Amino acid sequence: MDQLQQAREVIDRVDGEMAKLFEERMSAVEQVVAYKRAHQLPVLDSGREQQVIAKNVARLSKREYVPYYRELLKYEMQLSREYQKELLRLQGPVGYPGTLGAFSHIACSRIFRGRESRAYVTFEEVFQALDRGEVAYGVIPFENSFTGEVGEVLDLLLNHDCHIQGLYDLKVEQTLLGVPGATLQDIRQVYSHHQAISQCQDFLRAHNLQAVSYPNTALAAKFVSEQGNSTLAAIASPETAEIYHLQVLAPHINTSAENTTRFIVIGREMPCQGDRFNLLFTVNHRAGQLAKVMQIIGEMGFNMESIRSRSLRDVPWQYYFYVEIVGDLREERSQKLLEALRQTCSMVKVLGTYTLG
């Protein structure tokens, strides 16, 4: 047996032992994930990682191997983090605003089929639950094709350390729901979320119905069900009628037949793949600054599909901006765009990257 063959046999033997040790290590990682999830701890513990690298590097007798072994340890820990994130993503619950039967709940159940979900009263409570690690993701309404954006969500994206993981378009069917035995002619007051009311204004005016704003559509249906009053109705989804034992008095009451709500999925980690990305930014309060930002985006060859402004609440008469840009965030030209924008803007936050499908 020549020297090369002997060396290869040693490598094969060591690789076999490393495979067994790798499985043992990843099994321990699963236990770490279970502990972190139970105690709401983050995946990354940089101090711990530095200690592990230093301790293991010190075990080497051949110092010429040190830089290579250090890189191996770093890669091993990167794999560990990715596996932890995947386990948390697969196992952690998902939060949504509203209650059982709300459109957010319907979107959540379709995006994360069979996954544990948790209801929160407000949009902000979902963001806070994500901050605390109570949920792995949140599903939040972002804009409606008829009534426009949900401005409060932009404020929350600005102020919380989270990222958009993906988008989901839910075609909204608004129906008028009443208690069993009620008829459309009995109804005097209609309860629902203010956006649902806005989406059904033509129907409400045509039937001379008084609209009363409620925190969300499902809670409105629950209220009507509990009241048992045949003069009260709710605007909500057909699924909600079944949950709260109501009957559909009038289907498809949307003013627009193409009524669609776009939901965003938010998470703590920054995704890495997609054909679009979105940003929040602020500019110095001087003439021409916003035009300069638009010029940079155009001159660097990017198509900007959307731009919106929103008031900075604690700075009178100043605004921040939201933009959607077509492009792959991993490409060098996208990184050059971000660098150019950071030199021009007073603040730039990358919200997320995703594929619009």
Side-chain angles (χ1 to χ4, degrees):
M1 184 182 298
D2 60 26
Q3 184 178 5
L4 177 60
Q5 185 61 31
Q6 288 179 344
R8 284 176 172 171
E9 286 191 359
V10 171
I11 290 173
D12 287 343
R13 175 179 55 79
V14 171
D15 284 345
E17 294 174 0
M18 289 178 66
K20 294 178 183 177
L21 292 172
F22 181 76
E23 287 186 341
E24 184 178 346
R25 191 182 197 282
M26 295 302 271
S27 178
V29 168
E30 293 171 2
Q31 297 176 43
V32 170
V33 168
Y35 182 89
K36 287 184 175 179
R37 185 168 58 245
H39 293 81
Q40 300 180 8
L41 297 175
V43 168
L44 177 61
D45 184 347
S46 57
R48 160 72 178 166
E49 292 197 357
Q50 293 303 318
Q51 291 172 5
V52 170
I53 291 173
K55 178 177 65 177
N56 284 284
V57 164
R59 290 170 171 164
L60 292 180
S61 56
K62 294 190 175 182
R63 306 314 296 170
E64 61 268 28
Y65 296 162
V66 166
Y68 305 101
Y69 189 48
R70 181 180 287 113
E71 290 304 309
L72 176 63
L73 291 171
K74 288 181 179 178
Y75 183 63
E76 190 176 57
M77 291 182 174
Q78 177 187 337
L79 291 177
S80 173
R81 288 196 303 272
E82 290 176 358
Y83 186 47
Q84 289 183 57
K85 292 174 186 176
E86 181 67 8
L87 289 176
L88 289 170
R89 184 184 71 81
L90 292 172
Q91 298 174 13
V94 181
Y96 65 90
T99 189
L100 194 67
F103 285 108
S104 294
H105 170 250
I106 295 170
C108 183
S109 63
R110 293 183 184 178
I111 299 169
F112 297 94
R113 295 186 184 276
R115 187 80 163 264
E116 178 192 353
S117 61
R118 296 180 183 176
Y120 295 87
V121 175
T122 65
F123 297 157
E124 185 170 17
E125 287 181 12
V126 177
F127 280 81
Q128 291 170 344
L130 188 67
D131 292 341
R132 294 191 298 266
E134 290 179 7
V135 296
Y137 296 105
V139 175
I140 305 285
F142 189 56
E143 62 179 319
N144 180 267
S145 60
F146 185 73
T147 55
E149 70 185 47
V150 182
E152 177 189 352
V153 175
L154 284 177
D155 294 341
L156 292 167
L157 288 168
L158 176 67
N159 295 315
H160 286 263
D161 185 18
C162 64
H163 298 281
I164 296 175
Q165 315 287 308
L167 306 176
Y168 179 77
D169 290 346
L170 176 69
K171 189 166 183 179
V172 175
E173 180 188 347
Q174 302 286 17
T175 57
L176 188 71
L177 308 180
V179 299
T183 66
L184 177 57
Q185 289 70 33
D186 296 327
I187 304 304
R188 297 293 177 266
Q189 285 188 324
V190 177
Y191 294 79
S192 196
H193 187 269
H194 66 87
Q195 282 204 326
I197 292 171
S198 176
Q199 293 163 15
C200 303
Q201 278 295 340
D202 287 356
F203 176 87
L204 295 172
R205 280 195 291 264
H207 293 83
N208 195 29
L209 297 175
Q210 178 189 1
V212 181
S213 182
Y214 220 73
N216 66 61
T217 56
L219 284 176
K222 184 171 184 273
F223 170 77
V224 169
S225 177
E226 290 172 345
Q227 295 303 303
N229 188 333
S230 61
T231 67
L232 306 181
I235 297 173
S237 68
E239 293 93 333
T240 309
E242 184 177 348
I243 292 170
Y244 295 106
H245 309 292
L246 298 174
Q247 65 178 19
V248 176
L249 303 180
H252 307 292
I253 65 172
N254 314 40
T255 298
S256 171
E258 299 302 319
N259 189 4
T260 300
T261 295
R262 171 162 291 176
F263 289 84
I264 56 173
V265 177
I266 57 172
R268 289 183 293 275
E269 304 299 330
M270 178 68 193
C272 59
Q273 296 185 22
D275 59 14
R276 282 163 174 74
F277 57 93
N278 43 23
L279 311 172
L280 292 178
F281 66 89
T282 57
V283 295
N284 295 322
H285 196 45
R286 297 198 302 269
Q289 290 301 296
L290 178 59
K292 187 176 180 181
V293 171
M294 301 300 98
Q295 183 179 4
I296 290 171
I297 294 173
E299 287 181 348
M300 296 187 73
F302 287 91
N303 178 28
M304 186 176 63
E305 291 197 328
S306 174
I307 180 169
R308 304 166 197 175
S309 64
R310 180 85 174 160
S311 173
L312 283 166
R313 295 189 175 185
D314 51 354
V315 185
W317 316 119
Q318 293 198 33
Y319 300 84
Y320 69 91
F321 300 89
Y322 166 88
V323 293
E324 287 182 24
I325 297 174
V326 178
D328 190 332
L329 201 56
R330 297 169 296 179
E331 293 180 353
E332 182 179 356
R333 73 187 192 109
S334 298
Q335 295 304 311
K336 287 183 178 179
L337 171 65
L338 293 180
E339 182 180 347
L341 291 178
R342 288 181 176 123
Q343 292 176 359
T344 303
C345 301
S346 50
M347 182 279 294
V348 177
K349 178 180 180 179
V350 181
L351 286 182
T353 180
Y354 45 85
T355 297
L356 193 62

